[in-house]
Amino acid sequence: MTDVRGWLDTRQPPPPKGLRDRMDPGGRVGAAEPLEPLLEQALEALDQARGSTGRVRESALELLTADALLTYACEAALERPDPGAALARILEGAGANR
């Protein structure tokens, strides 16, 4: 089992504190690999941003959070035995969220 929070904390350079605080996978700790929880939370953040009307700071923060989480999901994909399939999973998940 991988502690997703711990995995995020090992990234170099580390995410800025304010952004890192928003990137908390919460109850997803203990996932077998970090990719799925990171992707799931990224898509949730993207949905939150889309749900806000107008140009509000909270929407921008949700978009930044989604972007960071997708970036880390790609990093996690590169650590898998079949990175191509893992990256395809990210694209599939992001495409289904349009």
Side-chain angles (χ1 to χ4, degrees), residues 23-45:
M23 296 171 24
D24 186 359
R28 298 168 182 95
V29 170
E33 294 185 15
L35 188 146
E36 291 298 328
L38 292 168
L39 178 58
E40 181 182 322
Q41 190 184 13
L43 298 178
E44 288 172 11

Side-chain angles (χ1 to χ4, degrees), residues 3 5 9-10 16 24 32 36 38-39 41 43 46 48-49 62-63 69 71 82 86 88 92:
D3 175 343
R5 289 179 185 143
D9 291 339
T10 66
D24 186 359
E36 291 298 328
L38 292 168
L39 178 58
Q41 190 184 13
L43 298 178
L46 191 56
Q48 288 290 325
E62 288 298 337
L63 284 173
L69 288 162
T71 298
D82 185 353
E92 174 188 305

Side-chain angles (χ1 to χ4, degrees), residues 10-28:
T10 66
R11 304 296 92 192
Q12 291 300 321
K17 182 172 176 13
L19 185 57
R20 173 62 184 90
D21 291 345
R22 297 180 67 83
M23 296 171 24
D24 186 359
R28 298 168 182 95

